Amino acid sequence: MLTENKFSKYLMYAIGEIFLVVVGILIALGINNWNQEKANQRLETKILKELNHNLKVDLDEIKFDISLMDSVKVSCNQIIHDLKLNTIPSVEFYNNIAWLKVVPHFDPNKSGYEFLKTKGVDIIKNDSLRTTISNHYELNYPYYSKYEKERIEFKLRQTNPFLVKYFNWLDNPDFYLSETFEVSNRDYLIIRNDGSLEKVVIASAWENELMNSRAKRIEKQITDIIKLINKELEAKK
């Protein structure tokens, strides 16, 4: 009987020890998980702040590109106007011609998104925000870049050969673009009367307007994402 009591006490003691060990392990796991969750939250905030900074830089750049394309539009309209009224080219005409060569190039900052990918996009807990950010970098930017490449091809194949054929390219430090073009009165009358210059300008204006509308779409997308990120960062304070 005494032996049975000792065994029962020993068994209860062993069970108690096992229970304490299990509880200790669970507490340790809980603390570890809590620490990991806090670390993930800090990392998420860091990535969101970097994305926010990148997007603000992108926004400034796309706005600048849009302003350049707006200037191209004005110059194209002015060239068409001059062709209808003037039989002799003017300095303003030459400066407007120089704008035909302008090809804004948008180079988005992707350091924050690349960092996000290395850590796993799931680090961003907000499903909607995570999807929006991924779509922006994986779809919106590549889509815009595709049309930028097509625009460069248009300039290389259509606009530039025409300008090289008829115009002389001159340095002009006093002009915003630092370069301008000249054409002889004879060649001016040829390309004015046969309508070839007008066709090039109209095509350039059309292509510029399409790119401008896409740039404004990117501008809005960037602005919307910045607002979403700011809202998420504010909620984490």
Side-chain angles (χ1 to χ4, degrees):
M1 190 67 161
L2 184 62
T3 303
E4 289 181 357
N5 288 337
K6 288 183 177 180
F7 177 77
S8 297
K9 290 180 179 179
Y10 174 78
L11 182 60
M12 291 182 65
Y13 175 78
I15 293 173
E17 286 290 315
I18 294 172
F19 176 76
L20 290 176
V21 170
V22 171
V23 170
I25 293 173
L26 291 175
I27 292 174
L29 288 174
I31 293 174
N32 183 64
N33 290 338
W34 184 84
N35 288 335
Q36 185 62 51
E37 182 63 25
K38 287 296 181 182
N40 289 342
Q41 290 176 4
R42 289 193 296 270
L43 179 60
E44 179 187 9
T45 298
K46 178 181 179 181
I47 291 173
L48 287 175
K49 286 181 177 179
E50 184 169 353
L51 285 168
N52 205 22
H53 174 73
N54 288 168
L55 289 166
K56 287 178 179 178
V57 174
D58 290 349
L59 185 59
D60 288 339
E61 183 176 345
I62 201 68
K63 285 182 175 180
F64 178 70
D65 287 356
I66 289 171
S67 71
L68 291 178
M69 286 184 273
D70 287 340
S71 295
V72 171
K73 179 180 180 178
V74 171
S75 292
C76 287
N77 291 337
Q78 191 59 48
I79 292 170
I80 298 298
H81 177 76
D82 289 346
L83 287 173
K84 292 178 179 179
L85 298 181
N86 301 326
T87 57
I88 298 176
S90 63
V91 173
E92 290 76 14
F93 173 82
Y94 291 143
N95 291 341
N96 285 323
I97 287 292
W99 279 98
L100 295 180
K101 274 185 58 65
V102 172
V103 186
H105 179 65
F106 179 59
D107 187 18
N109 294 264
K110 298 182 179 179
S111 61
Y113 185 64
E114 293 300 327
F115 184 43
L116 171 61
K117 289 196 296 183
T118 63
K119 298 301 180 179
V121 294
D122 288 339
I123 200 75
I124 296 179
K125 298 305 180 184
N126 186 319
D127 294 341
S128 177
L129 178 60
R130 181 175 65 248
T131 300
T132 300
I133 290 172
S134 295
N135 286 343
H136 184 68
Y137 284 94
E138 299 293 342
L139 299 177
N140 297 344
Y141 277 168
Y143 175 84
Y144 186 77
S145 177
K146 171 188 173 183
Y147 283 99
E148 270 200 335
K149 291 176 182 177
E150 290 183 2
R151 181 181 197 182
I152 293 173
E153 283 296 314
F154 173 85
K155 294 290 184 182
L156 292 175
R157 294 177 182 273
Q158 303 296 329
T159 308
N160 291 358
F162 183 89
L163 294 178
V164 169
K165 181 177 180 179
Y166 290 103
F167 290 82
N168 295 317
W169 190 348
L170 304 175
D171 291 331
N172 185 357
D174 297 326
F175 180 47
Y176 176 76
L177 298 178
S178 300
E179 60 192 33
T180 188
F181 289 86
E182 274 188 356
V183 62
S184 67
N185 290 343
R186 175 180 174 277
D187 284 342
Y188 173 78
L189 288 176
I190 290 174
I191 58 180
R192 174 181 181 267
N193 295 335
D194 67 10
S196 57
L197 177 56
E198 184 176 2
K199 290 180 180 179
V200 169
V201 175
I202 290 175
S204 295
W206 179 79
E207 168 270 333
N208 180 74
E209 192 62 23
L210 285 178
M211 204 67 214
N212 200 352
S213 66
R214 293 187 178 102
K216 289 176 180 177
R217 195 180 309 152
I218 287 290
E219 178 189 18
K220 184 181 185 305
Q221 290 165 346
I222 294 173
T223 301
D224 290 345
I225 296 174
I226 289 174
K227 290 179 181 178
L228 291 174
I229 291 177
N230 284 336
K231 183 178 180 180
E232 188 70 15
L233 288 172
E234 189 65 28
K236 291 181 179 299
K237 288 182 179 180

